[in-house]
Amino acid sequence: MGNQPQIRTTTEAWESLFRTQVAVMRRLQQLPEFKKLAMREYDVLFNLSNCPTGWTRLNELNEALLISQPSLSRMVERLEAKGLVRRRTAESDQRGIEISLTEAGAKLQQEIGREHVRHLHEMLAPRLSEAEFRQLHELTDKLRTGLKNS
Amino acid sequence: MGNQPQIRTTTEAWESLFRTQVAVMRRLQQLPEFKKLAMREYDVLFNLSNCPTGWTRLNELNEALLISQPSLSRMVERLEAKGLVRRRTAESDQRGIEISLTEAGAKLQQEIGREHVRHLHEMLAPRLSEAEFRQLHELTDKLRTGLKNS
DNA sequence: CCATATTACATGCAATTGCATCTATGGACT
DNA sequence: AGTCCATAGATGCAATTGCATGTAATATGG
């Protein structure tokens, strides 16, 4: 397998990845779809829409986001008040709560998602080739899944 | 050159990159070096430390960060109050202000930076080979620099 | 089975953030 | 120069966030 990477190599690769993420995010945030709902809130709806059973535990959801547990707790509260999300206590563990999209939430997610995907593609597609995007996908997948067990 | 990439390819690559960034950030945020200074504040010091002249315009700095202009304005105010940063009005443009690290700020940046780099390397190095990190670096660089002109 | 530790989420409260707006300077056009 | 528009940052204020902590439920160890 490959050699043990140098410190400079790993940190500079991370730096580049991070700055790229910032650059893309800055552009995305300004787009009209995120005036309907803040990006962080959309991200919650998106995560919920990806869950196979439809219901997700709060702590599980929290792991996919950069906000603190109390912040998520209150964000879910607000999303519930807006009618985009539902909650129930988990059957298997009375401490836990599970969350799912309401119909309105699913609809809004799809609506924003469609525009988001279109803008994302417009922004990114001209920069790399199909093969390069696939390569990027593979590398970041490998990096992320490697992290899970640590 | 490469083919025009498919929508799925670009968006899934982005999704993977983004989730990877979240996963790494979550781990980084908990490390002891970021109890001295919040990560967002460290990022400001880091950006200042990278500037060749030592002085950076506030709006320029803002472009490298995900926070809003008023937030940055106040963050700089706080960093100044802590003695980590200095400001002056720009000579060429009386509206603008320029910022630089104080000695204490430079020292703290280096101190946190050292630990940060070490932890980052420990976290990432085992996941990819030297060649793969270089590839990742190239791809994200290409993606980011392509964005600048749009 | 009881005491204790741990986990999941909620809540009080202070700090940070963003939005809208304000002030001041600079630039452009006549 | 004078008017108008754009840009750089600052500020009022409400909303969001995080930290510390609280409550309730579950796991663990004797």
Side-chain angles (χ1 to χ4, degrees), chain A residues 59 69-70 73-74 87 95 97:
Chain A
N59 57 356
Q69 174 271 311
S73 194
R74 282 180 178 132
R87 8 167 165 201
R95 294 169 300 181
I97 78 166

Side-chain angles (χ1 to χ4, degrees), chain A residues 9-24 124 127-128 132-133 135-137 139-140 143, chain B residues 13-14 16-18 20-21 128 132-148:
Chain A
T9 313
T10 64
T11 54
E12 286 179 5
W14 168 253
E15 169 79 3
S16 179
L17 187 154
F18 180 65
R19 295 298 160 205
T20 303
Q21 186 263 343
V22 169
V24 172
L124 302 181
R127 312 304 166 203
L128 298 177
E132 286 171 324
F133 277 112
Q135 232 174 13
L136 181 58
H137 188 156
L139 289 168
T140 50
L143 186 53
Chain B
W14 168 253
S16 179
L17 186 155
F18 179 65
T20 304
Q21 185 264 343
L128 299 177
E132 287 171 323
F133 277 113
R134 287 187 194 282
Q135 230 175 15
L136 181 58
H137 189 156
E138 268 181 55
L139 289 168
T140 51
D141 259 12
K142 194 169 170 186
L143 187 53
R144 176 164 32 81
T145 56
L147 284 175
K148 296 254 158 135

Side-chain angles (χ1 to χ4, degrees), chain A residues 93-105:
Chain A
D93 183 344
Q94 296 293 109
R95 294 169 300 181
I97 78 166
E98 292 174 335
I99 303 148
S100 79
L101 291 175
T102 61
E103 270 190 47

Side-chain angles (χ1 to χ4, degrees), chain A residues 53-71:
Chain A
T53 74
W55 293 89
T56 312
R57 280 289 292 271
L58 193 64
N59 57 356
E60 191 183 342
L61 187 56
N62 200 174
E63 281 166 28
L65 307 170
L66 280 178
I67 64 178
S68 67
Q69 174 271 311
S71 290

Side-chain angles (χ1 to χ4, degrees), chain A residues 106-121:
Chain A
K107 196 176 156 205
L108 182 58
Q109 187 280 313
Q110 282 165 23
E111 194 181 310
I112 296 178
R114 246 187 291 278
E115 287 182 76
H116 178 48
V117 163
R118 187 164 55 75
H119 285 139
L120 204 45
H121 186 251

